[in-house]
Amino acid sequence: MLSQIPADGFLAELSLDDQAILRGDSRGEMFAFCEGLNRYGIQLLAELHARRSERLELYGVLFYLKALNSFQGALLLLSRGMSVESEILSRTALECAIVLGAIAADPSYIDTLEAAHRVHEQKQARAIRDLLRGDTAGSFGPEIAKAIDEAASLRARDEHAVAAAAVKAGLRAEYEIFYRGASGAAAHATVGAVSQLLRAQGGVLRIHIGPDYDKVPRAFAVLAISLPASLRFVGRIFRREDALQAGEDFQNRWNEIIRPFDEQARR
């Protein structure tokens, strides 16, 4: 089934106009790099064979697939100038890379992930149970109410903390700079995110509606940090030296591409 995925994944739907916008200036090199990274990522996905009896491999391929899908979605949004929205998906891709790194370093961390999911379900069930006790209780049948009550009474204590997983994965710097940075600038409706809609024109602030290509380099930086890391960790889980090396090579190439933009930003 994975082998039937188109070579460019979601990016196969990218129109020629979208591509021309990004390839028309200095952002073209960034976009071309991400295209090549995506193509390699899809090829690797088609070659991964997770054994059902191996929990680490199953989780590995699923988190890698999620990272790849989020990467593609972020690139599609970025191609349309939606830099803030792109960073939201890039944050998801980076979190998947962090989790991949954590389970590659410590397979028992999967137990923490599963327990964290139960904690999440328990919190949801408690909220719904509180709602059932109100005026809307009659809209739920007794069987559903009983199931929710049972779920709410579970006792799950372990929680997944992205910061702790990043330490396990050796991605603490990426977590602090890109994951938390994207969280503040994009993932929450903070003043920082809303302010990106404002432009100063002649001393007057005006709301900017439409593509925002000025912030594309920053959004690209958040985007392109995730997939090379995922490649390295998947390579470790599946003992694929080629994937490990590809992750390193892509990361080194990206560092060279983004350096001029970093230097410009620091001036």
Side-chain angles (χ1 to χ4, degrees), residues 16-183:
L16 293 177
D17 290 340
D18 295 325
Q19 297 178 42
I21 288 173
L22 287 171
R23 291 198 176 103
D25 59 15
S26 58
R27 293 183 296 261
E29 187 179 7
M30 294 181 178
F31 187 74
F33 169 84
C34 287
E35 275 190 315
L37 178 55
N38 171 70
R39 193 168 293 115
Y40 179 85
I42 286 286
Q43 177 186 336
L44 176 65
L45 178 65
E47 296 172 357
L48 296 179
H49 301 286
R51 293 168 290 180
R52 292 187 179 182
S53 59
E54 296 294 328
R55 191 171 58 152
L56 177 60
E57 293 181 356
L58 287 171
Y59 271 85
V61 76
L62 288 173
F63 278 114
Y64 175 65
L65 175 58
K66 182 62 177 176
L68 188 57
N69 282 348
S70 297
F71 175 88
Q72 293 173 345
L75 191 55
L76 283 171
L77 288 170
L78 197 53
S79 73
R80 289 157 172 80
M82 301 176 71
S83 56
V84 173
E85 293 77 8
S86 174
E87 286 188 41
I88 296 173
L89 275 178
S90 296
R91 185 173 182 265
T92 301
L94 181 53
E95 183 169 347
C96 288
I98 288 172
V99 171
L100 276 170
I103 65 175
D106 178 11
S108 69
Y109 192 72
I110 294 174
D111 296 329
T112 301
L113 293 173
E114 292 179 344
H117 182 64
R118 291 193 294 272
V119 169
H120 177 69
E121 289 183 327
Q122 178 184 6
K123 290 178 179 178
Q124 284 189 313
R126 284 178 177 172
I128 296 173
R129 185 177 62 180
D130 292 341
L131 182 64
L132 283 172
R133 291 170 178 165
D135 296 334
T136 58
S139 61
F140 294 89
E143 292 184 0
I144 295 178
K146 181 181 178 182
I148 292 173
D149 193 59
E150 290 176 351
S153 64
L154 292 174
R155 290 291 177 266
R157 297 181 180 178
D158 293 336
E159 293 200 41
H160 158 59
V162 181
V167 172
K168 281 183 176 290
L171 295 177
R172 185 170 183 176
E174 289 81 355
Y175 167 81
E176 293 290 344
I177 297 171
F178 296 104
Y179 184 85
R180 293 189 65 187
S183 176

